[in-house]
Amino acid sequence: SKEVTHIPKIHIPGRTFPVQDFMLEDVLQMTGYIPPKNGKKKQHHPRGGKYQIQPSLVDDDFNKEGDDADEKTPIESQPEDCVVPLEERLKRMNEKEIDYDLIAVLIQTLLRTKDDDGSILVFLPGAGEIDRASNAIQNILRGFAITILPLHGGLQPDKQQQVFVPAKKGYTKII
């Protein structure tokens, strides 16, 4: 005869939040971000790796005299000589590498357009990537009222618990 065990039922309270999907094309259009061409404009970070000193929103190499002149499309916020079509910007994206400046510029765009006091969550594959993203966000979002809170299994429990503490008034938590 089989023994039947009863497992207690557990209810974990919570709530769902609406989620809207955006594709890379949407993010590039929303932000106006121009990925560097073939790694150009990137500087070596003192600890190794690469980062962009300033995210590109204009591209001096993409002008009327360039090979891509026929593909130009107008973008209101950029000078006519520096416009890079979305198709070209998509080609420049390397899907095998994380563009930390793009993450920071997207957060900057979200901060300028959000109308609530909610936090921004950024999901990355590991602690090293979290550190690099934090550095890019700090560099690009200087002057913004943000609190960056890394969260991964290598942190002490008290550091992990900080994500549950409400942000200071007027600040946005970036987790």
Side-chain angles (χ1 to χ4, degrees):
S1 81
K2 279 188 170 180
E3 199 173 305
V4 179
T5 55
H6 293 282
I7 300 174
K9 189 176 184 181
I10 298 174
H11 174 74
I12 301 172
R15 58 183 179 169
T16 60
F17 294 89
V19 174
Q20 187 174 359
D21 292 328
F22 291 96
M23 298 296 134
L24 179 59
E25 295 89 340
D26 302 321
V27 172
L28 290 174
Q29 282 192 307
M30 232 182 347
T31 61
Y33 180 75
I34 299 173
K37 192 172 188 175
N38 299 327
K40 192 177 176 183
K41 296 182 185 176
K42 292 206 174 198
Q43 303 291 328
H44 284 284
H45 191 279
R47 290 186 227 135
K50 293 180 177 180
Y51 71 102
Q52 233 175 322
I53 289 178
Q54 199 58 263
S56 294
L57 296 176
V58 295
D59 189 345
D60 296 331
D61 290 342
F62 202 87
N63 57 39
K64 291 177 187 170
E65 298 166 13
D67 296 338
D68 302 307
D70 295 339
E71 298 178 26
K72 292 176 78 166
T73 55
I75 297 177
E76 292 178 357
S77 63
Q78 297 176 356
E80 188 177 320
D81 288 348
C82 300
V83 174
V84 180
L86 179 60
E87 185 177 315
E88 169 66 18
R89 290 187 280 155
L90 282 168
K91 285 181 195 173
R92 292 183 185 187
M93 296 300 299
N94 182 346
E95 293 180 16
K96 295 178 182 172
E97 291 182 14
I98 298 171
D99 189 329
Y100 298 100
D101 287 342
L102 176 57
I103 293 170
V105 170
L106 175 58
I107 290 171
Q108 184 179 53
T109 301
L110 294 173
L111 289 171
R112 287 183 173 149
T113 58
K114 74 185 201 105
D115 57 1
D116 60 26
D117 59 355
S119 299
I120 296 174
L121 304 177
V122 180
F123 293 92
L124 293 157
E129 292 85 355
I130 291 170
D131 288 343
R132 287 191 282 282
S134 295
N135 290 336
I137 293 165
Q138 285 174 340
N139 289 335
I140 292 171
L141 278 79
R142 286 191 180 117
F144 279 82
I146 60 171
T147 302
I148 300 172
L149 298 167
L151 180 62
H152 54 81
L155 294 174
Q156 294 296 321
D158 60 323
K159 294 281 187 194
Q160 292 182 20
Q161 289 297 316
Q162 288 180 358
V163 300
F164 299 109
V165 176
K168 289 191 288 187
K169 186 173 174 69
Y171 277 70
T172 298
K173 289 191 304 187
I174 312 293
I175 302 170

